[in-house]
Amino acid sequence: MTATTSTSSILGNRVVRSEDPKFLTSGGVYVDDIALEGAVFATYVRSQFAHARVTNVDLTEAQNAPGVLGVFTAADIDLGLFPLDMAMLPATMPRTFLATDVVRFVGEPIAVVVTSDRYQGEDAAALVVVDYEPLPVVLDVEAALEGGTVLHPDAGTNVSFELPGEPVDLSDCEVVVRHRIINRKVAPCPLEVRAAAARWTDEGRLEHWAGCQGAHPVRDSLAAIYGLEPAMVRVIAPDTGGGFGARGFVYPEEMLCGWLARRVGRPVRWTETRSESMLGFGHGRGQLQDITIGGTRAGKVLAYQLDIVQDSGAYPRISAILPFLTKMMLTGTYAIERASCRTRSVVTNTVPMVAYRGAGRPEAAAAIERAIDLFAAEIGMDPAEVRRINLVPEDAFPFTNSSGTVYDSGRYERALDLVLEAAGYAELRAEQSRRRLAGDRLQLGIGLSVYVEITALQGGTEYGRVEIQPDGSVRALTGTSPHGQGHVTSWQMLISERTGIPMDQIEVLHGDTDLVPQGGMTGGSRSLQLGGTSIWNAAGHVVDQARDVAAHLLEAHPDDIVLEGGTFHVAGAPALGRTWADVASAAETPLAAEGDSQQAGGTFPCGAHLAVVEVDMETGHVRLVRLVAVDDAGRILNPLLAEGQVHGGLAQGTAQALFEEVVYDDDGNPLTSNLADYTFISAAELPSFETVHLETPTALNELGAKGIGESGSVGSTPAVQNAVVDALSHLGVRHVEMPCTPERVWRAIPHARTS
């Protein structure tokens, strides 16, 4: 395949997003904006107990309320069990679409009311009377391990998944440090809450609208649930206001819309409230980590051990197996010969846990980066120097870590050098020393992390098709489903580069299973390297087809035809050319092709982040002053889009380090059920980020691209946490739990002084 012969390339340039004019003017079209004639509304009745036996559900008053078309409980639903995310999850811990005899978390749906108007649903739901018999509540993962109360009696245990790991040999270590780290639960909080709508056609076909991270996986789930062939289900994913991993999975409330629509004979739509989102939308993180790190006083790490207890929430979902990804990335960017990881996942009386930006990899980075800082503090060495001593060298790639994970490429020491240089590390340390000597109220903290993560976990492929229209414009189909990443712009750039057709003449279609025959999920930072490469290949195939047609029109051999500036001509004779419209009109069959790329495995982006904080020694308040990020995601297609992804990740990572935490009281009642109680970060708490590009292309795809959607959230969290601890380290403070709230920081200061 031959691309355009033009010497200038659009790739690698800061191309403004094609998507933005719509969002900045008329606005996006989300599920709740879809006009469905005759649609009625679903409202769910949710459990008020974290763990209780449901002894009676009285629907009488609700059924007689104004506008009610039906009130339904689990006894009415004939869809079987709610499907498992993965076959390896235990079938002995099943979930039904609506709770049956036992509820296991506050917010679990018990009944659903269908009404003519949305407001009527809230009133009618309040009239459903549920009688409960409280049961013991299990919130702590260690209590769940002990098994005093088993949440799913048929399982006989609260353990939902485990991976064995043997203790490492520490006998030759001069220094051994042990510490417990808590990677607390967070809520995804996309600005668009969950929403779905469904209707049945006269032909018995289910049409479903979903705010999701992939229309085709939702279609396949619906087909399985309703016993339909996939062709009998159409899923449309319109604009989606944020995903962050949690939208990559289906939920009972959404999947029931089709059943309700069939039962009442009308289209049914459901949109949750923000409080419902906090009560039922899958949470993330939630790991208890015990770390052991040992090495020499010269700074060489010889052994590392991590023991994980993962919170699965009330019903095991994908989160139960995410420690597998934590184990894959166990040693991070460091060449540690002896390392071991043991993981156990347990169910608790909390919201079922799913994936959250990074999904297992940020947890690994949080553990190893805190371990490195703890080790550095113990031996009295600068944490930057300890990192440098232990980083995997550039000439070691492809590198196999102690978990057996093969990293494709990376320049870890170069990333560290760049971030130290960009931040002015020596000057920062000098300023820190000055403040300490002066006893300033605002102490400076400097935190580092050097991270690696995996993207496009198992490699594979993604659907991509390019079609040339009779007028010379392009219609491109992609299996990816964007929700803010800029896929339309990216795919237009790739097609324009290969064809010479201007971006504004390229239409990119996605998110409709009737238009796009197959597709995966936008998650795990897979889209550009899989979906983009597929579009790139498809465009190349179309160019080859068109060259043959142009050769016939120009009475030349195809090898003598060049494509330049969107026009085909004989080499050396640019005056006589044929446009794409000429070629498309002359072609006997449409100019169209699908991509055929197949990536052999995952790629491993890396980088180094440095955070600078000021800590008020009187109040414990932490202010993030600077965040410098070096991120290496292979070859960068569009720096503007890449920086946008990094900025979002840095914000979310910082939020986890300083603010965000899902909190329950002793009875399992959520205390963070809205954005007044759950400290959602805003621009006011963030500095202007400083980003530095480093490009180490991968050999696993033609674009040389790795993922960048999650990198910011992997590296920033431990960098910010390390900075907070560093600000207090001269007092003897060695650790502050995340989120590093003013109270936690304030309590650490007098405790260190008295110790």
Side-chain angles (χ1 to χ4, degrees):
M1 295 182 294
T2 305
T4 174
T5 61
S6 173
T7 55
S8 62
S9 173
I10 194 174
L11 306 186
N13 289 306
R14 302 176 68 85
V15 178
V16 175
R17 285 174 26 121
S18 304
E19 296 90 336
D20 288 344
K22 179 187 77 169
F23 288 111
L24 294 173
T25 54
S26 60
V29 177
Y30 303 93
V31 172
D32 205 43
D33 298 322
I34 301 296
L36 282 177
E37 185 177 354
V40 294
F41 301 87
T43 304
Y44 286 92
V45 178
R46 299 181 179 275
S47 172
Q48 298 177 3
F49 283 76
H51 195 200
R53 194 172 307 282
V54 177
T55 58
N56 186 54
V57 181
D58 188 348
L59 309 177
T60 307
E61 287 191 62
Q63 289 170 330
N64 295 320
V68 171
L69 303 175
V71 187
F72 309 101
T73 65
D76 301 301
I77 309 297
D78 55 2
L79 298 177
L81 297 175
F82 186 69
L84 297 173
D85 290 340
M86 304 188 78
M88 63 184 69
L89 293 171
T92 52
M93 298 180 177
R95 182 176 184 181
T96 50
F97 286 83
L98 297 175
T100 53
D101 56 334
V102 175
V103 289
R104 293 182 174 88
F105 67 96
V106 172
E108 182 171 2
I110 297 174
V112 57
V113 179
V114 180
T115 53
S116 299
D117 289 305
R118 190 180 307 224
Y119 76 91
Q120 295 169 329
E122 295 291 339
D123 294 339
L127 298 175
V128 175
V129 179
V130 183
D131 294 330
Y132 301 92
E133 179 185 307
L135 296 170
V137 174
V138 180
L139 301 173
D140 181 75
V141 292
E142 289 185 297
L145 272 179
E146 293 169 1
T149 297
V150 176
L151 301 189
H152 297 270
D154 289 347
T157 178
N158 289 323
V159 177
S160 55
F161 184 77
E162 61 182 321
L163 294 169
E166 298 298 324
V168 296
D169 179 12
L170 301 166
S171 60
D172 60 344
C173 296
E174 297 173 342
V175 176
V176 176
V177 180
R178 294 180 174 86
H179 211 283
R180 169 164 288 187
I181 296 172
I182 304 175
N183 207 296
R184 285 182 163 80
K185 295 181 182 180
V186 293
C189 295
L191 293 186
E192 181 201 14
V193 293
R194 288 181 297 171
R199 71 181 175 195
W200 295 87
T201 68
D202 293 340
E203 297 77 28
R205 203 160 177 253
L206 174 59
E207 293 184 338
H208 183 95
W209 286 261
C212 62
Q213 292 179 217
H216 295 85
V218 173
R219 178 199 64 184
D220 295 344
S221 293
L222 286 165
I225 288 169
Y226 287 91
L228 299 170
E229 290 296 320
M232 293 300 291
V233 180
R234 180 186 185 185
V235 171
I236 302 165
D239 294 319
T240 299
F244 311 126
R247 278 199 205 271
F249 305 91
V250 297
Y251 295 84
E253 297 98 322
E254 303 165 13
M255 297 291 100
L256 271 179
C257 286
W259 186 91
L260 294 170
R262 185 161 57 188
R263 185 66 179 258
V264 301
R266 302 267 294 275
V268 169
R269 60 193 321 151
W270 169 72
T271 302
E272 67 181 353
T273 65
R274 176 59 63 183
S275 291
E276 281 185 294
S277 182
M278 303 298 285
L279 292 176
F281 198 14
H283 292 164
R285 305 287 188 256
Q287 283 190 6
L288 178 67
Q289 303 172 328
D290 286 308
I291 62 173
T292 302
I293 186 168
T296 70
R297 293 198 175 275
K300 179 62 178 175
V301 176
L302 302 175
Y304 175 60
Q305 183 173 318
L306 178 62
D307 194 322
I308 298 171
V309 185
Q310 169 74 54
D311 196 332
S312 299
Y315 301 95
R317 302 206 65 180
I318 188 70
S319 69
I321 66 166
L322 286 181
F324 172 75
L325 289 175
T326 307
K327 185 174 184 177
M328 284 186 69
M329 311 310 302
L330 177 64
T331 54
T333 54
Y334 307 106
I336 303 174
E337 292 186 2
R338 301 193 302 273
S340 176
C341 180
R342 179 192 184 194
T343 82
R344 291 165 292 176
S345 300
V346 294
V347 288
T348 61
N349 291 123
T350 61
V351 173
M353 307 275 287
V354 291
Y356 179 70
R357 198 170 194 167
R361 291 97 80 197
E363 293 88 325
I368 187 63
E369 291 303 308
R370 281 301 300 131
I372 291 291
D373 262 33
L374 287 162
F375 180 73
E378 187 66 23
I379 64 175
M381 184 178 287
D382 187 291
E385 188 58 29
V386 172
R387 285 174 168 81
R388 188 182 305 280
I389 290 169
N390 292 285
L391 289 173
V392 176
E394 188 174 335
D395 60 5
F397 292 92
F399 175 77
T400 303
N401 73 6
S402 299
S403 297
T405 307
V406 181
Y407 300 169
D408 58 341
S409 63
R411 289 186 286 169
Y412 303 155
E413 188 169 359
R414 179 59 179 154
L416 176 61
D417 288 341
L418 284 173
V419 82
L420 295 178
E421 178 185 343
Y425 188 66
E427 292 81 2
L428 287 171
R429 286 296 182 197
E431 172 63 13
Q432 182 184 60
S433 296
R434 187 199 67 76
R435 294 195 191 192
R436 287 178 175 178
L437 287 172
D440 280 7
R441 173 178 172 176
L442 299 178
Q443 288 294 319
L444 204 66
I446 306 155
L448 276 168
S449 74
V450 184
Y451 75 89
V452 62
E453 66 139 339
I454 183 172
T455 61
L457 176 60
Q458 296 173 321
T461 189
E462 179 57 275
Y463 184 81
R465 180 177 174 86
V466 172
E467 303 170 350
I468 305 298
Q469 304 301 295
D471 63 356
S473 64
V474 175
R475 182 177 186 260
L477 307 177
T478 178
T480 66
S481 189
H483 39 277
Q485 295 88 347
H487 290 182
V488 171
T489 305
S490 299
W491 296 183
Q492 287 174 334
M493 289 176 66
L494 291 168
I495 296 168
S496 181
E497 174 71 12
R498 297 220 89 161
T499 64
I501 297 172
M503 287 177 57
D504 61 5
Q505 295 178 28
I506 300 170
E507 180 186 23
V508 179
L509 302 176
H510 56 81
D512 186 334
T513 59
D514 271 11
L515 291 176
V516 184
Q518 62 192 58
M521 183 184 78
T522 295
S525 301
R526 67 189 291 274
S527 294
L528 178 59
Q529 54 192 306
L530 301 186
T533 300
S534 183
I535 286 289
W536 174 257
N537 284 337
H541 291 319
V542 168
V543 169
D544 288 343
Q545 295 172 11
R547 181 176 287 104
D548 290 339
V549 177
H552 175 73
L553 294 175
L554 296 168
E555 299 181 351
H557 192 279
D559 291 345
D560 296 327
I561 301 297
V562 297
L563 171 60
E564 192 169 22
T567 300
F568 294 88
H569 65 83
V570 178
L576 184 61
R578 293 292 185 269
T579 67
W580 274 101
D582 296 333
V583 173
S585 299
E588 294 183 3
T589 58
L591 300 176
E594 296 180 0
D596 53 4
S597 61
Q598 184 77 28
Q599 188 166 301
T603 58
F604 293 82
C606 61
H609 291 177
L610 186 147
V612 182
V613 301
E614 283 184 338
V615 175
D616 190 320
M617 302 300 284
E618 294 183 5
T619 67
H621 178 262
V622 177
R623 183 172 76 92
L624 181 64
V625 178
R626 293 177 67 190
L627 188 50
V628 186
V630 176
D631 295 288
D632 184 346
R635 187 166 287 117
I636 298 298
L637 173 69
N638 184 335
L640 189 67
L641 296 181
E643 287 170 12
Q645 290 295 291
V646 170
H647 286 183
L650 296 177
Q652 286 186 279
T654 299
Q656 185 186 353
L658 297 181
F659 302 107
E660 295 189 26
E661 175 185 9
V662 174
V663 180
Y664 293 88
D665 69 13
D666 292 342
D667 295 320
N669 297 306
L671 302 179
T672 47
S673 58
N674 54 57
L675 296 184
D677 299 320
Y678 185 84
T679 315
F680 187 83
I681 201 166
S682 74
E685 289 79 42
L686 295 168
S688 293
F689 300 128
E690 302 166 56
T691 56
V692 180
H693 293 298
L694 178 63
E695 296 188 32
T696 307
T698 181
L700 293 179
N701 61 69
E702 290 183 48
L703 299 178
K706 306 178 184 181
I708 201 167
E710 295 153 299
S711 295
S713 64
V714 176
S716 61
T717 306
V720 174
Q721 185 183 21
N722 285 342
V724 174
V725 177
D726 182 65
L728 309 178
S729 61
H730 63 296
L731 302 177
V733 174
R734 291 293 177 261
H735 187 69
V736 178
E737 289 293 351
M738 292 192 296
C740 301
T741 60
E743 181 179 359
R744 285 197 177 103
V745 174
W746 180 79
R747 290 185 182 279
I749 294 170
H751 177 74
R753 285 172 173 161
T754 56
S755 298

